[in-house]
Amino acid sequence: GGLGDVLGGLPPAMAANGHRVMTISPRYDQYKDAWDTEVTVELKVGGKTETVRFFHCYKRGVDRVFLDHPLFLEKVWGKTASRVYGPVAGVDFKDNQLRFSLLCQAALEAPRVLNLNSSKYFSGPYGEEVVFIANDWHTALLPCYLKAVYKPIGIYSTAKVAFCIHNIAYQGRFAFADFALLNLPDEFKSSFDFIDGCEKPVKGRKINWMKAGILESDKVLTVSPYYAEELVSAVEKGVELDNIIRKTGIFGTVNSMDVQEWNPLTDKYTTIKYDASTVADAKPLLKETLQAEVGLPVDRDVPVIGFIGRLEE
């Protein structure tokens, strides 16, 4: 969805501005161009130690890093029809907290342990002088582990975390007793502590990952100036985190468009390519093609409006 769009387009734009950029995401599939680095790390998740392997490819100036672990691959690859978060809408996989705890911890290791030399401008590990951009509730533990595990021993002492909210409705609310699964010191409990009137997953007191991500990060961002205003405007707009966001402040930066991905001169999905000088001739023909394909009356003089977004109650 939108998060995928941002992680597809924003990192190459940042790389084009001269930054060294790495994205870190679960290896949900056998990505054909991402190769095994053979680098592994051991991480404590829940009561067990898990081994994560790093896969890597380099595209458009960006190091794309994928975390290989059965918890990720088995959810999607041929077995569960690409359901990333749960078997059906509104139901979580039981191990979601463990999976995303693994993601956050491995993301903190990657800049230090991966010796990447694909770029002609940068080589070697990224080191500790980094800014982490954590996206949505799945990565909200990252600033917590950074403060609890690394900073006290002098690692990542100058590193910062920006927490970016793409969709406030999904916050990672779990039973309060589950805090123990996260292997964080008790002093973080208050950042997670959350009470709502909802019966799911348990009644009453919960932990809220996004609340902790907002409170423990150095800066809170979102995907448009308007959404930033909306999130602090009312309880329902901020889905009960409006007061927390008002406390920290939030900065909205406009979601832009990847002009390489959406270039009509090179778009592999359209039959007629066009640019600014030929758009007037091409668009009526493309409109007719689309109308025919989806079963609408074919008429080049009828407006066709496209909407990218969600419809929800």
Side-chain angles (χ1 to χ4, degrees):
L3 176 53
D5 254 352
V6 172
L7 287 195
L10 179 62
M14 293 171 82
N17 280 341
H19 296 286
R20 191 178 189 192
V21 188
M22 176 195 292
T23 61
I24 301 162
S25 51
R27 185 169 174 257
Y28 285 127
D29 209 338
Q30 311 277 16
Y31 306 127
K32 61 181 182 292
D33 48 2
W35 294 86
D36 189 353
T37 63
E38 297 185 8
V39 176
T40 61
V41 289
E42 293 200 337
L43 303 165
K44 193 176 176 209
V45 182
K48 288 161 74 180
T49 299
E50 302 286 353
T51 302
V52 173
R53 267 180 111 83
F54 294 101
F55 281 62
H56 170 255
C57 65
Y58 182 76
K59 280 184 175 172
R60 292 174 66 188
V62 179
D63 286 307
R64 300 287 188 180
V65 172
F66 303 96
L67 312 176
D68 184 60
H69 188 278
L71 284 176
F72 297 125
L73 211 50
E74 72 186 6
K75 287 288 176 282
V76 178
W77 193 59
K79 294 184 183 175
T80 53
S82 294
R83 298 199 181 279
V84 176
Y85 305 119
V88 292
V91 179
D92 288 339
F93 285 127
K94 293 274 187 281
D95 59 9
N96 274 358
Q97 292 187 89
L98 301 179
R99 291 193 300 143
F100 295 116
S101 165
L102 200 61
L103 169 63
C104 294
Q105 292 183 67
L108 284 158
E109 285 295 304
R112 300 173 63 232
V113 301
L114 293 177
N115 187 14
L116 302 175
N117 299 307
S118 304
S119 166
K120 63 181 183 200
Y121 304 107
F122 304 104
S123 63
Y126 277 56
E128 297 174 25
E129 298 280 319
V130 292
V131 174
F132 292 97
I133 301 174
N135 295 281
D136 271 357
W137 74 266
H138 326 79
T139 55
L141 299 186
L142 189 146
C144 305
Y145 290 131
L146 181 67
K147 284 184 178 176
V149 180
Y150 293 90
K151 295 217 176 208
I153 55 171
I155 301 175
Y156 287 132
S157 53
T158 60
K160 300 281 190 212
V161 183
F163 186 72
C164 187
I165 298 170
H166 298 257
N167 189 341
I168 193 75
Y170 298 94
Q171 298 176 359
R173 299 184 187 185
F174 302 99
F176 191 71
D178 288 353
F179 179 79
L181 294 173
L182 310 182
N183 298 320
L184 282 166
D186 281 352
E187 70 233 39
F188 285 88
K189 259 187 188 164
S190 62
S191 292
F192 284 86
D193 199 351
F194 190 78
I195 295 174
D196 64 15
C198 185
E199 306 277 321
K200 285 179 167 182
V202 289
K203 195 173 179 180
R205 189 166 223 166
K206 298 177 176 61
I207 56 172
N208 184 320
W209 282 36
M210 191 176 268
K211 179 190 170 194
I214 292 165
L215 289 172
E216 299 296 344
S217 295
D218 298 292
K219 200 162 195 67
V220 184
L221 310 170
T222 189
V223 292
S224 84
Y226 181 79
Y227 198 44
E229 288 175 24
E230 193 176 298
L231 293 182
V232 295
S233 65
V235 174
E236 59 277 4
K237 295 286 190 194
V239 194
E240 301 174 276
L241 286 179
D242 57 306
N243 57 335
I244 302 292
I245 298 168
R246 272 196 292 274
K247 193 164 118 181
T248 60
I250 189 166
F251 181 79
T253 177
V254 178
N255 236 337
S256 52
M257 188 171 76
D258 184 337
V259 292
Q260 189 169 320
E261 178 95 13
W262 298 100
N263 181 356
L265 260 190
T266 56
D267 195 327
K268 64 181 184 224
Y269 297 109
T270 54
T271 45
I272 302 152
K273 315 296 178 216
Y274 63 89
D275 62 13
S277 63
T278 55
V279 61
D281 298 323
K283 275 197 143 178
L285 299 169
L286 284 164
K287 182 191 289 186
E288 289 179 341
T289 309
L290 177 65
Q291 287 168 329
E293 199 176 301
V294 299
L296 291 167
V298 176
D299 180 352
R300 66 169 57 189
D301 297 322
V302 171
V304 173
I305 297 167
F307 169 71
I308 301 173
R310 61 181 67 236
L311 293 171
E312 58 160 314
E313 68 280 359

